[in-house]
Amino acid sequence: PEAVPPPSQRVAGAGRLVLAYGLSGMGMVPPMIYLADLAARGLGLGVTAGSLTWLLFGLGAVAGTLLGGRAADRWGGARAATAWLAVQAVALALCFGGPVLVLLAAPLGGFAGVGVTAVVLAWARETGGGVALWGRATAAYAAAQAVT
C-alpha cells in the first residue's frame, strides 16, 4: 500500500491530527522516563515521593482517558485534543517549578499524555480517516517518541 493516499482519498485535517499526535508522543517521553527520578533524586524528595509521582501519573491517566471520550463527544475531537495538548504542555512546564509543582505535574501529565489517545481517536473517527489515519497517527506518535 501507498504511504500517502491519493488525492481522492485524502482527509481534510489529517495532517494536523498526525502532527498533533506526534507532538504529544514527543511530550510523553520526559514524564515517562524521568519524572519519578526527578522527584526522587533530582529534587531530593526520596524514593517514596518518586513512587507517589508514578501513582499520581497513573491516576491522572485513567481520569484523562475516561474524560477524554466524554470531552470528544461534547466538544468534538479536534477541540478536545487541543485542550488535552494544552494540559500536557502545562504539565511539562510544571516539572521545572520545584517539588510541589512536580507532584502537580504528575497527574496532569498522565491525564493529558495518556488521555490524548481517546480524544485523537475520536478526532480520527470524526474526520472519516478511519483505520488508515489512525495508523499514520500512531506511527507518528511512535516515531516522535523514538527520536526524543
Side-chain angles (χ1 to χ4, degrees), residues 26 100 118 135:
M26 190 175 283
V100 173

Side-chain angles (χ1 to χ4, degrees), residues 3-17:
V4 177
S8 63
Q9 296 178 354
R10 291 195 182 136
V11 176
R16 283 186 338 181
L17 182 148

Side-chain angles (χ1 to χ4, degrees), residues 54-144:
W54 267 121
L55 174 64
L56 294 172
F57 187 92
L59 293 173
V62 170
T65 301
L66 295 174
L67 294 175
R70 295 189 115 178
D73 287 344
R74 180 167 285 168
W75 305 334
R79 289 179 75 197
T82 301
W84 261 242
L85 290 170
V87 172
Q88 186 177 10
V90 167
L92 286 170
L94 290 175
C95 290
F96 298 101
V100 173
L101 294 182
V102 164
L103 293 175
L104 179 59
L108 291 177
F111 179 91
V114 177
V116 75
T117 300
V119 296
V120 172
L121 181 56
W123 185 10
R125 200 173 41 239
E126 289 168 8
T127 65
V131 173
L133 177 55
W134 181 244
R136 288 197 314 269
T138 301
Y141 188 93

Side-chain angles (χ1 to χ4, degrees), residues 21 38-39 61 70 96 135 145 147:
Y21 198 49
L38 173 64
R70 295 189 115 178
F96 298 101
Q145 286 187 327
V147 300

